[in-house]
């Protein structure tokens, strides 16, 4: 972590264990693009399965507006795209970003239940709202592994001066 940062920023970074590796560790653009498409399509498919299962299990939900594809699909795409763009940011903040990104994924997923609770309070059917909450979880379960596995965080390149042959006991020069 650079000392050119203001002390308050350095303290905040230490608090969340951010070592700020920078752009060298973000996923490659190509792999990120593939992960984004796979995450969006996988999340849409998962939500379609949840909606179909909800209607099959509770036929009275067949007319429930929030379970129609036009209602949940656009919000799913927006949410997944935003989540996907969070992954490179996490990779630039933490050298080992998978765990902090998992924690953020869980926090955001829990926060996504707030609108569900609000519409439940407005009188929406409880089982329909439960299906929506399950969709939020399904999106997280699809998106997180797709991002970290399809577009993995790159490792920082080891400086040439730090590479040694086996058996070399000379001290490494640092500048």
């Amino acid at each position: 972590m650079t000392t050119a940062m203001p002390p308050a920023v350095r303290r905040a970074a230490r608090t969340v264990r951010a070592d700020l590796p920078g752009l060298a560790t973000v996923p490659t653009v190509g792999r990120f693009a593939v992960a984004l498409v796979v995450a969006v399509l996988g999340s849409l498919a998962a939500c379609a399965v949840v909606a179909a299962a909800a209607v099959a299990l509770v036929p009275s939900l067949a007319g429930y507006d929030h379970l129609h594809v036009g209602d949940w699909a656009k919000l799913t795409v927006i949410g997944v795209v935003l989540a996907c763009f969070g992954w490179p940011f996490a990779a630039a903040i933490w050298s080992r970003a998978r765990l902090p990104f998992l924690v953020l994924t869980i926090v955001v997923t829990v926060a996504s239940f707030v609108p569900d609770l609000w519409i439940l309070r407005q009188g929406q059917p409880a089982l329909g709202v439960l299906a929506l909450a399950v969709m939020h979880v399904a999106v997280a379960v699809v998106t997180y592994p797709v991002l970290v596995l399809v577009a993995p965080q790159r490792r920082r390149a080891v400086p040439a001066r730090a590479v040694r042959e086996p058996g070399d006991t000379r001290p490494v020069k640092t500048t």
Side-chain angles (χ1 to χ4, degrees):
M1 193 173 351
T2 179
T3 56
M5 287 188 276
V9 173
R10 283 198 312 273
R11 279 192 303 276
R14 273 195 306 273
T15 300
V16 296
R17 299 177 191 238
D19 57 349
L20 305 172
L23 296 178
T25 61
V26 301
T28 62
V29 173
R31 291 188 73 129
F32 175 75
V34 170
L36 188 140
V37 170
V38 171
V40 167
L41 294 177
S43 293
L44 287 170
C47 288
V49 168
V50 171
V55 171
L57 292 171
V58 184
S60 64
L61 293 176
Y64 185 50
D65 287 343
H66 294 301
L67 290 182
H68 290 140
V69 69
D71 195 63
W72 57 259
K74 61 184 170 233
L75 296 173
T76 298
V77 170
I78 292 167
V80 172
V81 168
L82 290 173
C84 286
F85 279 102
W87 174 231
F89 283 103
I93 293 170
W94 292 282
S95 290
R96 294 181 178 176
R98 288 173 76 156
L99 181 59
F101 191 64
L102 176 62
V103 170
L104 289 171
T105 299
I106 292 167
V107 168
V108 169
T109 301
V110 169
S112 74
F113 297 146
V114 171
D116 296 336
L117 294 172
W118 183 77
I119 65 170
L120 179 63
R121 186 163 182 197
Q122 299 301 312
Q124 297 293 312
L127 293 175
V129 174
L130 177 62
L132 296 174
V134 172
M135 285 182 178
H136 295 298
V137 173
V139 166
V141 167
V142 168
T143 302
Y144 174 82
V146 166
L147 288 170
V148 301
L149 297 173
V150 176
Q153 183 177 25
R154 292 186 291 172
R155 300 239 182 254
R156 276 194 268 191
V158 177
R161 66 180 180 271
V163 176
R164 299 201 265 172
E165 296 295 321
D168 187 354
T169 57
R170 295 177 292 160
V172 176
K173 287 185 184 179
T174 57
T175 55

